[in-house]
Structures are given as C-alpha cells and as structure tokens.
Amino acid sequence: MSVVHQLSPGWLLDHLSFINKINYQVHQHHESCCSKNEPTASVHLDSVSSFGSSTKFIASDPTTKPKNDGGGNCEMFIQKYIFRSELFDITKPYITSAIHKECQQNNEKEDLMNGVKKEISISTLGKKRKRCVDFNQGELDAMEYHEKIRGLILDGSSQIIQEGLKSGFLHPLSEKQDKCNEPITLSFDTCNLSELCEMAKHLPSLNEMELLTLQLMENDMSVTEQDLFSRIVENNSRFTKMITLMGQKYLVPPKSSFLLSDISCMHPLLNCRKTYDVIVIDPPWQNKSVKRSNRYSYLSQLQIKQIPIPKLAAPNCLVITWVTNRQKHLRFVKEELYPSWSVEIIAEWHWLKITNSGEFVFPLDSPHKKPYEGLILGRVQEKTTLPLRNTLPIPDHKLIVSVPCTLHSHKPPLAEVLKDYIKPDGDCLELFARNLQPGWTSWGNEVLKFQHVDYFIPLESRS
C-alpha cells in the first residue's frame, strides 16, 4: 500500500513502498548450464546506431526451461529487484527556513498584495543606484493564488504530518543524519530515449492495420526493431521482464504496457481502439529553468491541446493533469485545455513535498519555489453519459503529502488514492510517463526512464 495514512485533509503516501510492492522478479537461468547469458524473461533489442536490418526484437518465455548442450533443462532462478531507497532520502529541506528568513530580512518590506513597488539596490561599475520594479501580472496572480490555498495547505498538512510522526513513518532528524546528509549522485550510462524516438521516425512505416500490440508472449518470437516504436508493448505475465535497448537494461513490471514514442507518433494508442477510464497527464510545461538547463524538451500550449483525449477517453473518464505553480499554465488548463476536450473541472488537489522528518522541502512562503504542485481533476462530459455507480464524489482541495524522489519529475503514484473515485478494474493511461506500473498503459518519449535497472538493487536470487 502506498497510502500510509488517510485523513480528512488528504493522504500521506509512501512512494518507495509502492514501487517495491510491485513484483520486480525476473526469471533467469544459471550461466553454468546455459550457453547464453541472457535473462529468459526478457525482450532483447540488439541495436546498432544505423538501425540496420539485422536488428531483432526477441521475446522469451519465463516459464520455459531452455535445454543445455547435454539436452537437459537449465536450472531456473528468480532475481528480485528493489528500488534504491537513497533516492528517497530527503533528510533536510532544499532551502532551510533560516536561509529563507535571512533572505527576507535582506529585502525591504513591502505590501505584496497591493502591488507596492519595491526598491532594488543594484551595483553598476562600483556605484550603487536604485530602480523601481513593478510585479508583473503573473507574479501578482501567483501571490493571490498562494494566499488562497496557504491556510488549507498549512492546516491540512499539519494533521497529516503529525499522524506520520506518531506512527513512526516520519521521524525527527537526528544529529548523525544531519551531519551525513550528502546529496546522492548516480552516474547512469543510460541511452537517450527521447533521441531514440527521433531516430525511429526515419524507420519505414508499417501498415497501420498491423500497428496493434506486441505482447511479450510465452513462446519465443522475433520481430524487427520497428515494433518497439510502432506498437504498444504488453507484459501480461505475472513476472517482470527485462528488455535490453541500445545496450541498456530496463525492467517491465507485470500486467503493464507501454508505448515509447513522442507526440507525433501516438497513433498506436488510437489504432488499438481502446478507451480509458482514467487518464493522468504530466505535460512537459515550458518554463525558464527548463529553457536554461535544456533538461528536457517542452511542448507549446497548442501542442498540448492537440493530444487526442476525446478519442482516448471512455465515457465519464477521469482526467488528471499535473500543473506547475505558474498561473499561466493553471489558467490554460482550466479555461482552454479542458473545455477543448469537453472535460468539466471537478476538483483541484495539491501535492505537498516534505522531508523524511516532515518539514516542507521549500519554505511555504518562498517567493521563488513552493513546496507544492497542483493537480486539476475533471470528467469527460457527453450528452449520453450516465453517472458512475459505486463511486464516491471527488472532493475538492485534497492534499497528497509525500517525500519526493530525488529524480526529476518522478511523481507520486495515484492508483490507490483514486480507487474510491473510479470504477473497479478500470483501464488507466498515463501520458508523458517516465515509469511503468501494473494495470496501467504508459506513453511518452521517456516512458522507460525510471525503469532503468541501475535505479534498482538486485537482491539475493533464489531457485
């Protein structure tokens, strides 16, 4: 269970526990009796940079025991993996309250909500001069929005965090932890999935009628590398399978499916003629830090509007969009995006990021970065749509409180939080995903990013 506590203001989630309760078990065979040192529960893509015709995509059966040179069966064993716990080791805030307070004291006091001008001292060529700067409309809107939800976040999170401290899930920072809190850096030699999607555009197109799904079947099968980029890949087995892509290994959990492509190649999702009861969207929003860092490519508002949600959504589909704190994006989702998809807004939730000791990762009133992000929830409206049965009405302004992963944009899981508000066994889709989860179809040009085997630790294997 990812839900540690559920209270009236919201939920305290354990993201790490959610990942590790997934059955990350790969069936493999012993090197001593098998001629090939490859996992049998795997899909292997031996690829060359030119995408030559000799490249093959091979799916193998985890239950079949291959024969060794002597004609006997190879001995199978199970390799279990868990996610690296240090990636959730957030012992101290990113910016401490003391530093934030010192910054505030260095600035002149001003009436932010009344838009009073502030004076900024600027040193130019050794001389100091003063100039007046007005807050722009975006900054004023952000301040107003923050004031609206500030009390809700402060009061609601206090209850949830206190419950987490009582149960021992959250724990006060010890002196030892305080001194040893060094940032974790993992230098993974991963392939660039988004660039791979760009390269795949130059591959010959298959007949659209053939673009269905590629199931990681029980019987051995091999197809060309085109299938990885033009079909939804499904793992319907009870065990995790490992795929090798451009020399890098990725774990595909059981009962999960994915499509690795960018926004120009979404047609395999549509060709399956499948609709979804839940669609979670985490768009690559444009902002200044993304532009400066070139960390990932972003989409314009027009491109986001072109995502074919009406064709992917089942009647009464619950649509959830992650939104940054930039008011421009919030207004766009509420006033343009959802209306264009015939989605009616029903609630706005907030993800609050805390440390392992229950502190906000940023000061709540920081003018630069806030410790929370938003989620806009809505339902697809159609004239013939009947109301959902056996589901609760979705409440407004709920809090999702969790320790964030240190990996950029690794959002907390919503599956258990949403279970009371969607029909049982509903089909779920995540767009712009960077990881996989059982029971969900995931799409994006980095959809396997956090499934890289180096983010996991292998445990002792067993036969």
Side-chain angles (χ1 to χ4, degrees), residues 384-435:
T384 58
T385 298
L386 297 175
L388 285 174
R389 296 179 179 180
N390 302 322
T391 59
L392 298 174
I394 296 180
D396 199 9
H397 291 299
K398 282 284 189 178
L399 297 181
I400 297 173
V401 182
S402 72
V403 177
C405 183
T406 58
L407 301 174
H408 174 70
S409 202
H410 198 354
K411 298 295 197 301
L414 300 178
E416 291 181 23
V417 167
L418 297 174
K419 63 182 176 60
D420 292 333
Y421 310 113
I422 59 178
K423 69 179 187 180
D425 303 319
D427 292 311
C428 303
L429 171 67
E430 183 174 7
L431 301 179
F432 305 101
R434 296 175 181 86
N435 63 285

Side-chain angles (χ1 to χ4, degrees), residues 193-255:
L193 295 171
S194 57
E195 287 185 6
L196 202 58
C197 291
E198 280 295 317
M199 295 167 69
K201 293 179 184 179
H202 303 292
L203 293 171
S205 298
L206 296 178
N207 188 311
E208 284 198 4
M209 296 303 293
E210 299 174 357
L211 298 175
L212 298 175
T213 61
L214 173 65
Q215 295 190 25
L216 308 187
M217 304 289 290
E218 293 183 352
N219 298 322
D220 288 351
M221 58 180 288
S222 64
V223 293
T224 65
E225 79 286 349
Q226 291 169 273
D227 288 271
L228 179 65
F229 307 103
S230 58
R231 296 188 188 185
I232 295 175
V233 180
E234 295 181 344
N235 177 15
N236 289 324
S237 72
R238 295 180 296 111
F239 295 96
T240 291
K241 298 189 179 183
M242 185 181 289
I243 68 172
T244 303
L245 177 59
M246 301 292 282
Q248 303 299 316
K249 295 183 182 297
Y250 301 88
L251 297 173
V252 180
K255 308 299 180 185

